[in-house]
Amino acid sequence: MSDTGASAQGHVTVRLETLRGYLLEEVLTRLLRASGYRLLAEKDDPARPPWKVLEKRKHGLVVRGRGAWHQADTLGEFQYVPPFSLPIRLFAEAKFTRIKVGLPTVRNGRGVVHDLNENVVTT
């Protein structure tokens, strides 16, 4: 096989992996909606900087944590807020990989959740 054919096959594989990741994100979105969550978007955060916590950027929705901004594949807020509580939000990050996910990936995910939970913005 020529280099051009191998390159084209690699390009198709990359696109297929991207499509699989996109489809996984769509499935997560539908599962959140079916579970009683309302999807959040930038318009759901009318605050202006420095109190703004949701922004639309080049790669999608980002959420401000205490230490950094984090890209969210899907962010939902439970439609029912329990009395004497804050709204319940679910931050979903989709990964489609052929290899087993290791401890560094899990630790990174836990770190993101911790960073988001530590960001308390008051006006």
Side-chain angles (χ1 to χ4, degrees), residues 4 18 50 53 55 63 70 79 87 110 112-114 116:
T4 306
T18 302
V53 295
E55 279 187 10
V63 183
H70 303 280
Q79 292 179 14
R110 174 63 184 109
V112 168
V113 170
H114 184 72
L116 292 174

Side-chain angles (χ1 to χ4, degrees), residues 5-123:
S7 176
Q9 184 179 7
H11 191 65
V12 169
T13 303
V14 170
R15 284 191 176 181
L16 184 58
E17 295 296 324
T18 302
L19 179 60
R20 287 179 177 163
Y22 175 76
L23 290 174
L24 180 59
E25 290 177 19
E26 286 299 311
V27 168
L28 285 173
T29 299
R30 290 177 188 256
L31 285 172
L32 277 178
R33 283 188 182 136
S35 299
Y37 284 83
R38 177 180 64 90
L39 297 182
L40 295 178
E42 182 181 26
K43 65 182 168 78
D44 293 313
D45 181 15
R48 293 180 17 209
W51 299 283
K52 193 162 189 61
V53 295
L54 296 176
E55 279 187 10
K56 180 79 172 171
R57 292 194 183 166
K58 182 179 175 183
H59 296 290
L61 184 67
V62 292
V63 183
R64 185 173 66 161
R66 185 175 185 185
W69 287 86
H70 303 280
Q71 190 266 334
D73 289 337
T74 305
L75 180 63
E77 185 172 87
F78 199 58
Q79 292 179 14
Y80 170 75
V81 179
F84 312 106
S85 179
L86 295 172
I88 298 170
R89 288 187 172 175
L90 185 60
F91 184 98
E93 179 66 24
K95 297 289 182 210
F96 184 89
T97 64
R98 293 185 182 271
I99 59 172
K100 189 175 180 179
V101 174
L103 189 56
T105 303
V106 175
R107 283 185 176 155
N108 182 51
R110 174 63 184 109
V112 168
V113 170
H114 184 72
D115 187 48
L116 292 174
N117 286 338
E118 289 292 317
N119 188 26
V120 178
V121 178
T122 60
T123 58

